[in-house]
Amino acid sequence: MKKSYKIGIIGYGGMGNWHHINTEKLDFVKTAAVYDIAEEARAKAAQRGLKAYGTLEEILADDDIDIIVIATPNEFHCPYAIKAFEAGKHVISEKPVAMNSEELQRMIDSANAHSRVFSVHQNRRWDNDYRIIKQIYDNNELGNVFSIQSRVMGSRGIPGDWRKEKKHGGGMILDWGVHLIDQALDMVKEKVTDVYVRMQHVHNTEVDDGFQLFLTFESGLVYLIEVSTSAYISLPRWHISGDSGTAIIEDWSCNGKIIKPICGNENVDANPIQAGAGLTKTMAPRGEESTIELDLPKIVTNVCKDYYENFVSAIEGRQELIVKHNEVMRVMKIMEAVFRSEIENSSIRVDIK
Ligand code: NAD
């Protein structure tokens, strides 16, 4: 790297702290300042030796700052990013990048107009569980994949902050949904042809507090994304099936396995088994005579280092951004189709690649 770049963080809450603490381990970036509307957040920043500003104008006027990281509630990402580009700063926005695709387009136009680097913190592309499934998919380990199920489930409802309110960009589609849609599009390099959602409002009528979203890809692959904040028992994080195997990841610790048929034995006829009040051959479990169990691949990632290294390399013109503008735009377009699907209570035909 040519120098150590100085970061100014706008919004020093959960994720603002994440960016500060995690970049402390890197020698090519250093957090120097914070702007937050909350006095408590500013006091915490000052205590840690950062400059703590109470207005946007002050942090943007600080010539020391090269990179602005925006980690506020969602409705401020667009206006703050545009002001930062105008002030000559490079910008990393937390996800969701914006409230809609029109806002994102204005952010991209402003970044281009001022020749600034602009990226979105789609950090869940570095999740170990996601990387394992992506490797299985990329290596064609399961043959032709026809079903992918990606779930995150909890029982604590939406946290009692801005995430509960529409005007701040609350709700689970804009929260976890955006991460999981981004993973789906990053993994399956096909056109999305159909979007269908069922949203949940278990404890919140204003925004969705969970959903089941079906994305259909051009090959017919159906990708289910399910988020719940009212599930006291969770379903597995991942379940993926192809015509020659299935893989499962149970949890964040990446416990799971791959089961594949033994070539030549896959069509061994089953004896009917007692199942509930009847018999079944179709659903009879398989044994060792016709399947093998494989361990999941082991993957170790370093999101903060990889992400910031790439961002700074893009500033220096040495690398393309990993998280590209057209990729975040696709996520916004899918998100908009999701809201249309909810309003129209039907599936939405799309042509998004
Ligand atoms: P948070 O509520 O913990 O923190 C937000 C901070 O922004 C608070 O300190 C608040 O005082 C400050 N703030 C509010 N309005 C402001 C304004 N107008 N100007 C300046 N500061 C303001 O929220 P969070 O969980 O840190 O989420 C922040 C952003 O990060 C959101 O966009 C969220 O979607 C995203 N996020 C991303 C991840 C991830 O893994 N990438 C995880 C959590 C949150």
Side-chain angles (χ1 to χ4, degrees), residues 77 81 85 91-109 111-112 117-126 173-175 177-187 189 192 307 310-311 321-338 352-353:
H77 296 181
F85 295 134
V91 171
I92 293 172
S93 170
E94 261 308 335
K95 50 53 60 180
V97 59
M99 305 284 271
N100 52 51
S101 59
E102 181 270 327
E103 280 194 350
L104 171 58
Q105 191 57 55
R106 284 197 282 121
M107 295 161 94
I108 295 171
D109 290 346
N112 290 341
V117 177
F118 167 42
S119 177
V120 183
H121 193 228
Q122 294 293 168
N123 51 320
R124 292 201 173 276
R125 288 192 198 178
W126 281 263
I173 292 285
L174 274 89
D175 193 344
V178 162
H179 278 306
L180 304 184
I181 294 168
D182 182 67
Q183 289 180 343
L185 302 184
D186 184 51
M187 176 160 47
K189 306 284 186 209
V192 181
Y307 184 85
N310 173 249
F311 188 79
L321 285 173
I322 294 172
V323 180
K324 299 182 175 50
H325 296 172
N326 68 312
E327 295 170 348
V328 274
M329 183 57 92
R330 281 184 317 180
V331 173
M332 286 287 109
K333 296 274 186 196
I334 296 278
M335 188 186 88
E336 287 169 348
V338 168
I352 298 172
K353 181 150 188 202

Side-chain angles (χ1 to χ4, degrees), residues 18-274:
W18 186 97
H19 284 276
H20 177 199
I21 305 299
N22 282 282
T23 53
E24 276 187 329
K25 298 163 203 149
L26 309 175
D27 56 12
F28 54 90
V29 283
K30 187 175 170 46
T31 300
V34 155
Y35 157 50
D36 199 295
I37 51 168
E39 202 177 326
E40 203 183 320
R42 294 199 298 273
K44 191 170 169 185
Q47 227 173 36
R48 290 174 170 172
L50 305 178
K51 288 179 268 187
Y53 294 122
T55 68
L56 181 67
E57 289 68 30
E58 284 172 287
I59 196 165
L60 294 184
D62 185 336
D63 288 336
D64 226 19
I65 305 294
D66 307 290
I67 301 168
I68 288 286
V69 172
I70 305 176
T72 61
N74 303 333
E75 83 268 39
F76 302 110
H77 296 181
C78 172
Y80 284 6
I82 290 175
K83 287 252 167 65
F85 295 134
E86 286 167 357
K89 312 294 186 194
H90 303 286
V91 171
I92 293 172
S93 170
E94 261 308 335
K95 50 53 60 180
V97 59
M99 305 284 271
N100 52 51
S101 59
E102 181 270 327
E103 280 194 350
L104 171 58
Q105 191 57 55
R106 284 197 282 121
M107 295 161 94
I108 295 171
D109 290 346
S110 179
N112 290 341
H114 295 91
S115 304
R116 298 293 85 184
V117 177
F118 167 42
S119 177
V120 183
H121 193 228
Q122 294 293 168
N123 51 320
R124 292 201 173 276
R125 288 192 198 178
W126 281 263
D127 283 359
N128 286 348
D129 57 272
Y130 166 66
R131 286 290 177 100
I132 291 169
I133 292 295
K134 183 165 163 28
Q135 184 169 316
I136 291 170
Y137 178 85
D138 288 347
N139 291 351
N140 227 8
E141 190 76 42
L142 308 175
N144 285 323
V145 170
F146 57 88
S147 163
I148 301 176
Q149 299 181 11
S150 164
R151 290 189 173 84
V152 293
M153 296 182 142
S155 60
R156 296 174 184 277
I158 302 180
D161 55 19
W162 55 268
R163 285 175 179 77
K164 282 187 160 162
E165 294 175 34
K166 207 172 191 143
K167 66 175 181 204
H168 300 303
M172 282 299 119
I173 292 285
L174 274 89
D175 193 344
W176 272 97
V178 162
H179 278 306
L180 304 184
I181 294 168
D182 182 67
Q183 289 180 343
L185 302 184
D186 184 51
M187 176 160 47
V188 183
K189 306 284 186 209
E190 290 177 31
K191 198 187 279 182
V192 181
T193 58
D194 194 275
V195 173
Y196 179 66
V197 80
R198 299 307 306 180
M199 288 193 189
Q200 293 157 7
H201 295 274
V202 180
H203 297 293
N204 190 307
T205 50
E206 187 173 327
V207 295
D208 71 289
D209 55 15
F211 62 86
Q212 289 172 311
L213 164 62
F214 294 87
L215 301 177
T216 306
F217 286 87
E218 203 171 18
S219 64
L221 190 167
V222 176
Y223 196 120
L224 166 65
I225 297 174
E226 181 168 11
V227 172
S228 175
T229 56
S230 304
Y232 288 82
I233 300 173
S234 296
L235 286 163
R237 172 72 188 86
W238 291 95
H239 188 279
I240 167 169
S241 285
D243 57 10
S244 51
T246 298
I248 190 166
I249 298 183
E250 299 285 350
D251 47 34
W252 296 117
S253 305
C254 297
N255 292 303
K257 60 190 171 192
I258 302 171
I259 304 276
K260 293 170 68 158
I262 295 173
C263 213
N265 281 8
E266 63 267 54
N267 296 324
V268 175
D269 209 11
N271 291 321
I273 59 146
Q274 187 72 36

